[in-house]
Coordinates of all heavy atoms in Angstrom, one line a residue:
I4 N 36.7 142.2 -76.0 CA 37.9 141.3 -75.8 C 38.4 141.7 -74.4 O 38.8 140.8 -73.7 CB 38.9 141.6 -76.9 CG1 38.4 141.0 -78.2 CG2 40.3 140.9 -76.5 CD1 39.2 141.3 -79.5
E17 N 45.8 133.9 -60.0 CA 46.3 132.7 -59.4 C 46.9 131.8 -60.4 O 47.9 131.1 -60.1 CB 45.1 132.0 -58.7 CG 44.6 132.6 -57.4 CD 43.7 133.8 -57.7 OE1 43.2 134.0 -58.9 OE2 43.4 134.6 -56.7
I23 N 54.4 131.1 -62.6 CA 55.7 131.7 -62.0 C 56.3 130.8 -61.0 O 57.6 130.6 -61.0 CB 55.4 133.1 -61.4 CG1 54.9 134.1 -62.4 CG2 56.7 133.6 -60.7 CD1 54.3 135.4 -61.8
D24 N 55.5 130.2 -60.1 CA 56.1 129.2 -59.2 C 56.7 128.0 -59.9 O 57.8 127.6 -59.5 CB 54.9 128.7 -58.2 CG 55.4 127.9 -57.1 OD1 56.5 128.3 -56.5 OD2 54.8 126.8 -56.9
D31 N 66.2 131.2 -63.4 CA 66.6 132.3 -62.5 C 66.6 133.7 -63.1 O 67.2 134.6 -62.6 CB 68.0 131.9 -61.9 CG 69.1 131.9 -62.9 OD1 68.8 132.0 -64.1 OD2 70.2 131.8 -62.4
C34 N 61.0 137.3 -66.3 CA 60.5 138.6 -66.5 C 59.0 138.6 -66.5 O 58.4 137.8 -67.1 CB 61.0 139.2 -67.8 SG 60.3 140.8 -68.2
E45 N 45.8 150.7 -57.2 CA 46.1 150.5 -55.8 C 46.6 149.1 -55.5 O 47.2 149.0 -54.4 CB 44.8 150.8 -54.9 CG 44.5 152.3 -55.1 CD 43.3 152.7 -54.3 OE1 42.8 151.8 -53.4 OE2 42.7 153.8 -54.5
N49 N 50.7 145.6 -53.7 CA 50.4 144.2 -53.3 C 51.1 143.2 -54.3 O 51.5 142.2 -53.9 CB 48.9 144.0 -53.1 CG 48.4 144.8 -52.0 OD1 48.9 145.1 -51.0 ND2 47.1 145.2 -52.2
I53 N 54.0 140.2 -53.6 CA 53.8 138.8 -53.9 C 54.9 138.4 -54.9 O 55.5 137.3 -54.6 CB 52.4 138.6 -54.6 CG1 51.3 138.8 -53.5 CG2 52.3 137.2 -55.2 CD1 49.9 138.9 -54.1
G59 N 63.5 133.8 -58.7 CA 63.7 133.8 -60.1 C 63.3 135.1 -60.9 O 63.7 135.3 -62.0
E67 N 50.7 150.8 -68.5 CA 49.4 151.3 -68.3 C 48.5 151.0 -69.5 O 48.9 151.2 -70.6 CB 49.5 152.8 -68.1 CG 48.1 153.4 -67.8 CD 48.2 155.0 -67.6 OE1 49.2 155.5 -67.8 OE2 47.1 155.5 -67.3
Y71 N 42.2 155.0 -74.6 CA 42.1 155.9 -75.8 C 43.0 155.4 -77.0 O 42.6 155.5 -78.1 CB 42.6 157.3 -75.4 CG 41.7 158.0 -74.4 CD1 42.1 158.2 -73.1 CD2 40.3 158.3 -74.8 CE1 41.2 158.7 -72.2 CE2 39.5 158.8 -73.9 CZ 39.9 159.1 -72.5 OH 39.0 159.7 -71.7
R75 N 41.5 154.6 -80.6 CA 42.3 155.2 -81.8 C 42.6 154.0 -82.8 O 42.4 154.1 -84.0 CB 43.5 156.0 -81.4 CG 43.2 157.3 -80.9 CD 44.4 158.2 -80.8 NE 45.4 157.6 -79.9 CZ 45.6 157.7 -78.6 NH1 44.7 158.5 -77.9 NH2 46.5 157.1 -78.0
K77 N 41.3 151.1 -83.2 CA 40.0 150.6 -83.8 C 39.6 151.5 -84.9 O 39.2 151.0 -86.0 CB 39.0 150.4 -82.8 CG 39.0 149.2 -81.9 CD 37.9 149.2 -81.0 CE 37.7 147.8 -80.5 NZ 36.4 147.7 -79.7
R81 N 39.4 150.8 -89.4 CA 38.2 150.9 -90.2 C 38.4 151.5 -91.6 O 39.2 152.0 -92.0 CB 37.1 151.8 -89.6 CG 36.6 151.2 -88.3 CD 35.5 152.1 -87.7 NE 35.2 151.7 -86.4 CZ 34.4 152.3 -85.6 NH1 34.0 153.5 -85.9 NH2 34.2 151.9 -84.4

Side-chain angles (χ1 to χ4, degrees):
I4 294 171
E17 291 78 12
I23 295 167
D24 188 44
D31 62 354
C34 176
E45 294 180 12
N49 294 328
I53 292 169
E67 180 180 8
Y71 295 110
R75 282 191 304 271
K77 283 182 159 188
R81 291 183 191 171

